[in-house]
Amino acid sequence: MSKDVEKAGDECAPQGWSRRSVIKAAAGTAGALAMPAIVRTARAAEVLYVNTWGGTWEKAAAKHLFEPFTRETGVEIRTVSPVSFAKLAAQVRTGVYEFDVTTLGGGDIVRANAAKIIDAVAGSPLGANGPWKDAVFENGVASHAFSTIIAYRTDRFPKGGPQTWADFWNRQDFPGSRCLQRYCARVLPLALLADGVPQDKLYPLDTERAFRALERIKPDLRVWWTQGQQSQQLLRDGEVDMVGIWHSRALELIDQGHPVGISWKQAEIDRAYWVVSKDTPRREIAWKFIQSAVQPERLAGFCREALYGPLNPAAFEFIPKEEADRMPTGPRNYPLAFEQNVEDFGGNLQKVTQRFEQWLAS
Amino acid sequence: MIPTALRGASKPWLLLLPLALFLCTFFLVPLGQVAMMSVTEPEPGFGNYAHLAGDALYLQVFLNTFLTAFGVAVGCLLLGYPLAYLMAQSSPRVAALLMLLVTMSFWTSFLVRTYAWMVLLGNNGPLTALLGFLGWDPPPHLLFTRFSSTLAMVHILIPYMVMSLYSVMKRIDPALLRAAESLGAKPWGVFRQVYLPLSAPGMVNGATLVFMICLGFYVTPVLLGSPQEQMVAGLIGTQIEEFLDFGQASAMAMVLLASTLIVLAVYHRRFGLDRLWG
């Protein structure tokens, strides 16, 4: 039985992107990259294994991050998917490396750093502080962001759907079924915002209050999504009337012409960071790759294609305004959004998650 | 298909060697490591197990897993029995065709089948529309209930039940049924007093198989059930994927394994393990 549930920072394949096409894309990339025969013979041994989310993510990364890097250095990039935090840990335990580089969310970075399974940025060519202000967070190099936003069926709310989390929690003015991600660390801050906690005073989270707030809409939460694709399907098929969903997923629905509206207000940002697996034999190339992957122009290309928001501010120089307005970190949307504080969560995440699951099961 | 040269050879068990090696390397050794982790991580001792015993969520999910598996086994039996009976009574051609239909679901991807149920049972799906048309207003929510997840799991596991039943029913001697009739039993009496007891081993086999396989289910209840339908396998995944808590996850896995073995042991005492596959 495949355990196909996506976790933190999941940016998994949209429908229609099968394993075969992933392999094809990867093979195509590898083929194109290996083309200059001289380079191939000269550097045949140099390969870097990158852990990817597959799907659109990998397609965009291959085009904008992997291919330019190979052209430049001759290092062939092979991909492994999907992203698994557990595998990263297992690699360091066993010394068998399936991938050298991966992306992690903020919360995972803190845990990975504590578990000593990622390499220190300080000793890398990027230097301890990285290429721009706030580029480095605990041995991860900031790359791109996605956000959890409110999306709703415009046919169910012709006069305008919920715009804030308080609206989302308002069962009188916005009746209908609701859906959120089954992911405690992302849901609790939303409940607190809905309950009136100011955006800048969210952390450390008042978990008691968050659970009380969640209790208010529990009857309308018949289903909790666990996979990005599932969240899309639930809204598209009208199983739910509003959903807390990743912005890229909602934009895809709108682009496909479904009656879906979104709000960028109080968008909850998740950052993705590049990390290097600790003690990998290909450490040096790995850091070189990361350095290249966060260059403004390449990052911009990746984000435009995969519908992310770049975290390197310089990348916006290469992004047209109307596209920047579809990004959570763009100049219009970022002031409306809020960032999660993964260092000061407000309790032991494992215990809180346990409680969350228990609350769900009761 | 034993080659002639090997037939009657003095050491036939040598044939088992490749499989034994394979199982040992890729199954028993890793399993042993999991067992080790459950008592060594994060520190040596039985702390992980002690923690489980006092963990309300785990106990609740564990109980739910068993109840679900039991319900699915009963559902498979109720739906599979008439089908297997029909197959056993039909001509070989019809029986083969029916068997093909039953096993066809094996060839369909697991996730595809799950999503197919979402379409069928959804708010805008045909079943809801039919109930609405028949005057059920507003039509009931079928999806994301215990009903929908159980139904889907029954669908996935019913081939095991049908095959177990069919293999036993096929061996029931029709002469016994005729004898009962000639002694004056009515059709229902023949079935209840002769056929049903004779087919009982198939029922037990099928139910045991379905029950044990169902214990490890995870995706279906999460995608089709209500949030209350969490199964142990999912909990184990969360411990590893989100918390890197290999020790706790290993302990959970060992408890699940032990309970499966207990079911097998009970079965073996009563019926003999060699009969499990009919």
Side-chain angles (χ1 to χ4, degrees), chain A residues 1-5 7-8 83-87 89-90 93 108 111-112 115 117 177 182-183 218 221-224 226-227 229-230 233-234 236-240 349-351 353-355 357-362, chain B residues 37 41 51 55-58 60-61 110-111 115 118-119 121-125 141-145 213 216-220 222-223 225-228 230 233-235 237-246 248:
Chain A
M1 222 116 304
S2 74
K3 179 183 180 286
D4 202 10
V5 172
K7 299 292 180 192
V83 167
S84 164
F85 184 43
K87 199 168 257 174
R93 289 164 77 101
D108 289 337
R111 272 170 280 158
I117 54 176
S177 54
R182 188 167 182 159
Y183 193 83
K218 197 175 186 185
L221 288 162
R222 289 178 52 233
V223 56
W224 293 73
T226 49
Q227 309 186 351
Q229 196 177 327
Q230 184 194 9
Q233 179 256 336
L234 290 168
R236 187 182 54 225
D237 296 352
E239 290 301 334
V240 298
L349 181 61
Q350 191 165 357
K351 286 212 176 83
T353 301
Q354 186 101 352
R355 178 167 171 201
E357 287 294 326
Q358 209 159 353
W359 175 79
L360 279 180
S362 61
Chain B
M37 268 194 282
E41 297 218 1
H51 182 256
D55 182 340
L57 173 65
Y58 178 74
Q60 185 184 347
V61 171
F110 183 75
L111 276 176
Y115 277 109
M118 283 191 174
V119 174
L121 300 175
N123 271 346
N124 303 318
H141 285 304
L142 300 169
L143 210 49
F144 314 126
T145 59
I213 299 174
F217 262 48
Y218 166 51
V219 177
T220 312
V222 166
L223 287 183
S226 73
Q228 284 89 35
Q230 166 104 291
L235 218 52
T238 316
Q239 291 302 319
I240 293 182
E241 279 290 332
E242 276 178 43
F243 305 119
L244 303 183
D245 195 340
F246 287 81
Q248 193 71 70

Side-chain angles (χ1 to χ4, degrees), chain B residues 11-223:
Chain B
K11 298 186 176 83
W13 51 266
L14 273 177
L15 288 169
L16 276 178
L17 209 57
L19 180 65
L21 271 177
F22 179 85
L23 280 180
C24 190
T25 320
F26 296 108
F27 182 64
L28 287 181
V29 171
L31 194 63
Q33 283 176 334
V34 171
M36 273 302 285
M37 268 194 282
S38 74
V39 289
T40 53
E41 297 218 1
E43 59 217 17
F46 290 90
N48 286 323
Y49 292 95
H51 182 256
L52 282 187
D55 182 340
L57 173 65
Y58 178 74
L59 296 176
Q60 185 184 347
V61 171
F62 199 76
L63 181 68
N64 178 56
T65 306
F66 272 81
L67 289 178
T68 305
F70 184 76
V72 170
V74 171
C76 281
L77 186 60
L78 290 178
L79 292 177
Y81 196 93
L83 180 59
Y85 181 79
L86 182 67
M87 280 164 62
Q89 305 301 314
S90 315
S91 69
R93 275 189 60 174
V94 176
L97 184 73
L98 287 173
M99 185 58 97
L100 186 76
L101 287 176
V102 169
T103 49
M104 206 147 72
S105 70
F106 269 144
W107 305 336
T108 320
S109 146
F110 183 75
L111 276 176
V112 168
R113 276 181 281 167
T114 304
Y115 277 109
W117 279 114
M118 283 191 174
V119 174
L120 285 175
L121 300 175
N123 271 346
N124 303 318
L127 199 55
T128 310
L130 180 72
L131 290 175
F133 178 74
L134 294 175
W136 198 323
D137 187 49
H141 285 304
L142 300 169
L143 210 49
F144 314 126
T145 59
R146 187 170 282 272
F147 166 76
S148 54
S149 68
T150 309
L151 183 66
M153 285 189 278
V154 166
H155 171 228
I156 289 163
L157 291 170
I158 210 161
Y160 294 98
M161 177 62 87
V162 171
M163 282 188 249
S164 302
L165 286 170
Y166 178 69
S167 68
V168 169
M169 287 176 175
K170 204 62 203 158
R171 284 187 310 219
I172 295 177
D173 189 347
L176 294 172
L177 308 181
R178 285 200 297 276
E181 262 173 55
S182 71
L183 291 171
K186 299 218 164 61
W188 171 244
V190 175
F191 175 76
R192 199 173 53 85
Q193 290 179 308
V194 181
Y195 199 88
L196 196 63
L198 284 173
S199 63
M203 292 160 63
V204 177
N205 292 350
T208 312
L209 270 180
V210 169
F211 182 82
M212 286 190 311
I213 299 174
C214 194
L215 282 182
F217 262 48
Y218 166 51
V219 177
T220 312
V222 166
L223 287 183

Side-chain angles (χ1 to χ4, degrees), chain A residues 162-174:
Chain A
Q163 297 298 308
T164 63
W165 294 107
D167 290 348
F168 195 93
W169 253 250
N170 183 340
R171 298 177 67 201
Q172 275 76 48
D173 297 339
F174 301 97

Side-chain angles (χ1 to χ4, degrees), chain A residues 25-72:
Chain A
T29 319
L33 305 183
M35 241 168 352
I38 306 159
V39 173
R40 188 170 56 187
T41 37
R43 316 212 189 191
E46 286 199 283
V47 174
L48 183 70
Y49 295 88
V50 179
N51 189 204
T52 85
W53 289 103
T56 349
W57 197 101
E58 180 162 320
K59 209 169 113 193
K63 190 164 150 201
H64 301 280
L65 310 180
F66 302 166
E67 285 171 23
F69 180 69
T70 306
R71 269 199 301 276
E72 204 171 82

Side-chain angles (χ1 to χ4, degrees), chain A residues 4-15:
Chain A
D4 202 10
V5 172
E6 306 158 3
K7 299 292 180 192
D10 163 10
E11 292 125 85
C12 187
Q15 67 268 42

